[in-house]
Amino acid sequence: MFRILFIFLALAQAKIITQSFSLKQLSKMDYIPISRFGSRGIVNYEISSRLINLPKDYEGDRLMIPFEFFQQDKWQQAQSLPECQKQDKANRIIYQSIEVNTPEEISTLNGQLAYGRHHNVWLAIFNNCDHKLEKMFSASASKVKLEITIWFFDEGGQEFSLEEHGLFSIVAVLALLTIIGFYYNYRIYKKEQEKYGEKDYALLFVLVIIGLEAMQNTLNFFNLLVYNSNGRGISAFAIISEVIQSVDNYLLMLLLILIAWGWTIDFINLETQAAFYLPLVFVLGVVQTIFAIIGRLLSTQTQFHMYEGWAGYSISIIYILLALYFFYSANQQKKKGEIANSFYFKLKLFGTLFFVSFPVLLMISKVIDPYKSYKVIILGSMLVRLLNIALLVRLFVGKSTDYQRICIKGKSFLDRDKIM
């Protein structure tokens, strides 16, 4: 249902990342991933750190904070070591000096990273194994926090990490295509309504899905446009875009199941089926959303996407179960004949593609280079969803389509109270 709702919790897609740690949090943390960035050339970094909420007129010693940088291959080798021994595999270790005083001065450190012939994927780690900061303050100074801001960018100021290259261009094309698609299908919908004197609810459903898709792609486009210039983007646009995409994805799933039941095709009583199955579909969607949120909360910067662990497998199982139920429902068709068989064959083909796409993309992401898994999951999901929308439009729109020849639109109004 809500595949990418975790961005709602992340607030914004950004390579300028700020994290704050209380003394209580630091006491339980040794090795803290801060950020990750990939490039085909030199990677620039800027780290700004400070202590906030210090006791009034407090004066202390300088604090030296170690940051370790791992190239992707080195980080994978370090996984076999205990946390506080991973530094032996680090490609580079730097130390930042912070003034421990009440003015809360910001310490800034700049540098460059370059390693590897083909690509560099760097992970920045804050090494807190010595717990020096916690030892400097008594229990009464519980409000003290360490704030770290790290900014990665490519040569020439490129803000997009290696795994995000091409994302802006694809989103721009998707935004343009969905806007054109919405306008074109809206005109068709209005003509159909004027011709038959009634609404084509299936086409209206598709129109709403296309409209939401166009809206979220447009917001995502402007967010990425700003992100490309400042590394932060527009958090409000990112949040709204992903929420809209989540709703859009759920409506697409719901439409496929409704049509599989025979909605707008047969004179059926939906109330009996909807009383049980719609709440079940809704619950499965909510469960999937909860998995996504928890998966995001438990994910770290060491992962290229939050579906690398159990969250991805759990969501895949839900989609597979829905695919099986959809296929079963479509096979229970009441209308028979060559035209109806042709329509339901296409419906099962397109619907199955939608439901199994995420599990397939997840499996593909497991067997390729880790930094490419982001594109497979995120961009793959975008493109597959757009393909499904285009296929549904082709299925429903057009005077000679199988759907138009078997649907109840424009036919007898007898027993019409049984339909919706």
Side-chain angles (χ1 to χ4, degrees):
M1 174 183 170
F2 299 160
R3 293 184 182 176
I4 319 179
L5 192 57
F6 63 87
I7 298 184
F8 181 88
L9 297 171
L11 295 184
Q13 180 180 17
K15 284 304 167 196
I16 300 179
I17 294 177
T18 299
Q19 295 193 46
S20 297
F21 306 96
S22 66
L23 295 182
K24 184 177 181 180
Q25 289 174 317
L26 290 173
S27 66
K28 302 176 182 178
M29 305 170 75
D30 294 326
Y31 228 55
I32 308 172
I34 301 296
S35 186
R36 185 190 64 248
F37 192 84
S39 169
R40 297 190 183 280
I42 295 175
V43 174
N44 299 280
Y45 65 84
E46 179 180 295
I47 304 175
S48 300
S49 304
R50 65 171 178 167
L51 291 171
I52 56 179
N53 299 329
L54 290 169
K56 188 176 181 180
D57 299 326
Y58 181 89
E59 291 186 8
D61 298 328
R62 284 177 173 268
L63 177 67
M64 299 297 290
I65 298 180
F67 289 96
E68 300 170 4
F69 294 97
F70 289 83
Q71 203 272 341
Q72 175 182 306
D73 297 335
K74 287 289 187 179
W75 176 251
Q76 291 175 342
Q77 295 174 18
Q79 296 312 295
S80 60
L81 300 174
E83 278 198 343
C84 292
Q85 294 180 22
K86 284 181 169 57
Q87 61 183 5
D88 297 337
K89 294 291 184 179
N91 295 89
R92 181 180 298 182
I93 301 176
I94 62 172
Y95 294 88
Q96 186 171 37
S97 176
I98 301 177
E99 290 285 351
V100 185
N101 51 34
T102 48
E104 299 182 356
E105 295 181 10
I106 298 176
S107 173
T108 301
L109 192 63
N110 297 280
Q112 292 183 330
L113 302 167
Y115 179 85
R117 180 177 301 177
H118 303 294
H119 63 264
N120 314 317
V121 178
W122 291 96
L123 180 67
I125 302 289
F126 165 37
N127 188 332
N128 188 46
C129 289
D130 55 16
H131 295 277
K132 286 183 178 179
L133 181 59
E134 303 98 278
K135 296 174 183 177
M136 294 178 66
F137 296 93
S138 64
S140 60
S142 59
K143 294 184 178 180
V144 175
K145 288 186 176 182
L146 172 63
E147 182 182 88
I148 300 173
T149 299
I150 186 165
W151 177 24
F152 278 126
F153 56 97
D154 207 339
E155 288 182 292
Q158 168 68 263
E159 298 285 353
F160 288 103
S161 181
L162 181 62
E163 70 273 13
E164 299 169 330
H165 287 185
L167 178 64
F168 179 73
S169 299
I170 291 176
V171 170
V173 172
L174 291 179
L176 180 61
L177 290 177
T178 48
I179 290 173
I180 294 173
F182 176 77
Y183 176 73
Y184 173 77
N185 286 284
Y186 176 76
R187 292 185 60 186
I188 293 177
Y189 171 76
K190 293 298 292 184
K191 289 181 180 179
E192 292 286 312
Q193 189 175 8
E194 293 172 0
K195 178 179 179 181
Y196 293 102
E198 60 177 310
K199 296 178 181 179
D200 185 333
Y201 287 100
L203 182 54
L204 177 60
F205 216 129
V206 173
L207 191 63
V208 170
I209 291 173
I210 299 174
L212 289 174
E213 188 74 11
M215 189 182 302
Q216 80 90 15
N217 281 328
T218 302
L219 289 173
N220 199 17
F221 167 77
F222 285 109
N223 172 54
L224 293 176
L225 184 65
V226 176
Y227 172 83
N228 191 42
S229 64
N230 67 7
R232 293 186 184 273
I234 305 175
S235 59
F237 281 15
I239 293 170
I240 296 171
S241 171
E242 297 307 328
V243 170
I244 291 174
Q245 182 173 325
S246 300
V247 174
D248 190 37
N249 202 57
Y250 177 73
L251 291 178
L252 184 54
M253 177 178 69
L254 186 60
L255 175 62
L256 288 169
I257 292 177
L258 286 174
I259 297 299
W261 286 352
W263 182 58
T264 72
I265 296 174
D266 298 315
F267 290 98
I268 61 174
N269 189 340
L270 281 180
E271 292 183 2
T272 303
Q273 289 177 292
F276 174 76
Y277 290 109
L278 285 185
L280 179 61
V281 171
F282 178 77
V283 168
L284 287 175
V286 171
V287 170
Q288 180 184 326
T289 304
I290 293 174
F291 284 158
I293 292 174
I294 295 176
R296 172 54 185 167
L297 290 173
L298 297 179
S299 67
T300 68
Q301 288 292 332
T302 61
Q303 299 175 329
F304 283 93
H305 58 84
M306 54 80 59
Y307 300 108
E308 289 185 16
W310 64 270
Y313 293 117
S314 301
I315 293 172
S316 294
I317 291 172
I318 292 176
Y319 270 101
I320 291 172
L321 291 175
L322 288 171
L324 293 174
Y325 175 71
F326 164 78
F327 199 86
Y328 167 79
S329 299
N331 279 332
Q332 306 305 307
Q333 66 188 71
K334 293 182 179 181
K335 283 196 174 181
K336 304 296 181 180
E338 183 178 346
I339 298 175
N341 290 338
S342 174
F343 169 78
Y344 277 101
F345 173 79
K346 295 174 185 176
L347 178 67
K348 287 184 284 188
L349 181 64
F350 300 162
T352 303
L353 172 64
F354 169 77
F355 286 111
V356 304
S357 61
F358 180 79
V360 170
L361 290 173
L362 183 65
M363 292 300 103
I364 294 175
S365 72
K366 300 294 183 181
V367 298
I368 60 175
D369 196 315
Y371 87 91
K372 295 179 181 179
S373 62
Y374 176 88
K375 286 185 177 180
V376 171
I377 290 293
I378 305 302
L379 295 184
S381 295
M382 290 181 181
L383 295 175
V384 169
R385 189 175 58 258
L386 183 65
L387 174 62
N388 273 277
I389 292 173
L391 292 174
L392 283 177
V393 169
R394 183 176 178 84
L395 193 64
F396 293 120
V397 178
K399 296 179 180 179
S400 58
T401 61
D402 294 334
Y403 171 77
Q404 295 296 335
R405 297 165 69 181
I406 66 173
C407 71
I408 58 176
K409 180 180 64 179
K411 297 180 174 63
S412 173
F413 280 83
L414 295 175
D415 298 325
R416 189 58 67 95
D417 60 313
K418 298 180 181 178
I419 301 171
M420 289 169 284

